[in-house]
Amino acid sequence: MSWRMPAETDPHERLWMAWPSGGYTLGETAEDAHEARAAWAAVAHAARRYEPVTMVVRPEDRAIAEAYLDPRVGLLEAALDDAWIRDMGPSFVLGTPTGGTPGDGGPADGGPARLGAVDWVFNGWGQQDWASWEDDARIGGTVAQTAGAELVPSSLVNEGGGIQVDGRGTVLLTETVQLDPGRNPGATKAQVEAELERTIGARHAVWLPRGLTRDSERFGTRGHVDLVAAIPSPGTLLVHVQHSPEHPDHEVTGQILEVLHASRTADGTPWTIIEVPAPAQLHDGEGWVDYSYINHVAVNGGLVACTFNDPHDEKALRILADAYRGRHVSAVDARIIFSRGGGIHCITQQQPATPAHA
């Protein structure tokens, strides 16, 4: 079977999420917990306008989830440690039999693609001392089975937020994630690339040196690419740019832009790069923010985008609307989600439609 991860902008069967269950995501007070639940629900409801949404929820939290969620949001009961489905869940792919010939239902015959689900090894973002992942490490298989997908096991420690694809063989990733000694000790770029080719059909990798500053600190992922760059259409990149020299990400995003300008797609063409300015807010009282408009999710006919009650919100939404032309942009205040360690893209995972359902 030959597997390919479609572009996020390709048609979806549904969007997956996971309900906030405990720990730092829910916070220390009842008000903290309410804020987290309301934020996750707001994303689910925005996405539900465009496509079905299924929320993974711990059995003991089902009644709480039902109190916040529209009944049209489906619920799947399973044990959870946390709520970052992009990272702990599977990366969905489409598969066609290799070596197909006319008449066998394979690619040469126009036969239907099969839904697969790559089950990465999840180890709490590189065995972070604050993370727990015993239950989350099993969610990939649970979601795959429920979706009716063929499980594609992988020995690579990886998270969905650590890769961005164009659906045509290009993958964006960061050296600080896949080559992290806490994830894949001793791994080489060639080894990572070979596994990504086997599992998601990536034949060309663009390696970024690192991710954003806050995301590289103790409670971060050590550099997820989905805070830095997104691919709204083949050959086009949206890139997070910090224009303020006060913020350490000013230098970081300058380095990333330099790498991306020198890179090419899998087809050998240079990117059209669209810079997306970081929010004007630089600090949240705890450190340099990693607020990013890049951490959005495409849905059928729409886009669910982050806002931050920030002077740059309006400009960023205009850039996104232009890049995702023809899609309606729904904005959700993502400050509560970012205060827990991620954004809208981090708490969602798209399941592509197979050709029969597209």
Side-chain angles (χ1 to χ4, degrees):
M1 188 68 66
S2 176
W3 299 107
R4 176 185 66 88
M5 186 174 176
E8 193 171 300
T9 50
D10 283 2
H12 297 177
E13 179 72 21
R14 70 181 56 251
L15 196 71
W16 288 87
M17 298 182 64
W19 189 245
S21 302
Y24 70 93
T25 305
L26 283 184
E28 298 179 357
T29 68
E31 179 59 27
D32 290 341
H34 168 69
E35 288 180 342
R37 291 163 178 156
W40 261 252
V43 173
H45 295 158
R48 183 62 185 77
R49 296 173 56 189
Y50 305 98
E51 62 189 64
V53 176
T54 298
M55 184 78 69
V56 183
V57 58
R58 295 194 307 185
E60 59 267 36
D61 291 332
R62 185 183 185 104
I64 296 174
E66 288 176 337
Y68 282 84
L69 294 171
D70 186 303
R72 292 175 295 178
V73 174
L75 299 179
L76 170 65
E77 294 185 7
L80 289 170
D81 294 296
D82 220 319
W84 308 98
I85 193 72
R86 175 73 55 177
D87 295 346
M88 63 188 180
S91 294
F92 286 101
V93 291
L94 297 178
T96 49
T98 55
T101 56
D104 71 353
D109 198 42
R114 292 171 60 176
L115 180 67
V118 181
D119 188 20
W120 312 109
V121 176
F122 179 70
N123 73 348
W125 303 278
Q127 305 177 70
Q128 304 269 28
D129 60 7
W130 47 262
S132 59
W133 58 88
E134 181 179 354
D135 292 326
D136 287 352
R138 294 192 287 264
I139 288 299
T142 301
V143 169
Q145 182 178 19
T146 305
E150 179 178 337
L151 197 67
V152 183
S154 176
S155 60
L156 185 70
V157 180
N158 185 43
E159 303 94 38
I163 55 174
Q164 292 276 38
V165 303
D166 64 357
R168 298 187 175 189
T170 310
V171 61
L172 307 181
L173 64 171
T174 55
E175 295 178 9
T176 54
V177 172
Q178 286 78 17
L179 303 183
D180 174 17
R183 288 177 168 96
N184 301 295
T188 65
K189 288 183 178 180
Q191 289 169 333
V192 171
E193 290 172 11
E195 180 64 357
L196 292 176
E197 182 173 14
R198 183 187 74 84
T199 53
I200 64 172
R203 53 191 173 87
H204 176 64
V206 177
W207 288 90
L208 303 182
R210 55 166 294 171
L212 300 182
T213 298
R214 178 121 169 207
D215 192 39
S216 302
E217 294 173 349
R218 184 182 175 213
F219 293 105
T221 70
R222 299 177 180 158
H224 271 185
V225 73
D226 67 353
L227 287 170
V228 173
I231 306 174
S233 60
T236 300
L237 285 176
L238 291 166
V239 183
H240 175 82
V241 178
Q242 176 56 256
H243 290 296
S244 173
E246 298 177 49
H247 197 302
D249 283 340
H250 177 69
E251 181 178 353
V252 171
T253 58
Q255 294 171 349
I256 290 170
L257 274 173
E258 186 176 346
V259 171
L260 290 174
H261 276 294
S263 70
R264 296 291 186 269
T265 69
D267 296 326
T269 58
W271 299 97
T272 297
I273 294 178
I274 302 170
E275 297 186 8
V276 183
Q281 182 176 343
L282 303 180
H283 203 279
D284 65 358
E286 294 185 8
W288 300 106
V289 298
D290 56 1
Y291 292 169
S292 172
Y293 299 108
I294 296 299
N295 201 265
H296 50 260
V297 65
V299 287
N300 291 335
L303 190 80
V304 184
C306 300
T307 54
F308 304 95
N309 191 28
D310 188 272
H312 291 176
D313 285 353
E314 185 176 348
K315 179 179 181 180
L317 292 177
R318 287 199 305 268
I319 293 173
L320 293 179
D322 188 57
Y324 290 92
R325 192 168 297 277
R327 295 175 184 265
H328 181 267
V329 178
S330 295
V332 175
D333 190 325
R335 287 175 293 173
I336 293 298
I337 305 172
F338 270 80
S339 73
R340 270 58 173 185
I344 289 173
H345 195 255
C346 306
I347 67 170
T348 57
Q349 179 62 270
Q350 71 277 358
Q351 177 185 331
T354 55
H357 298 93

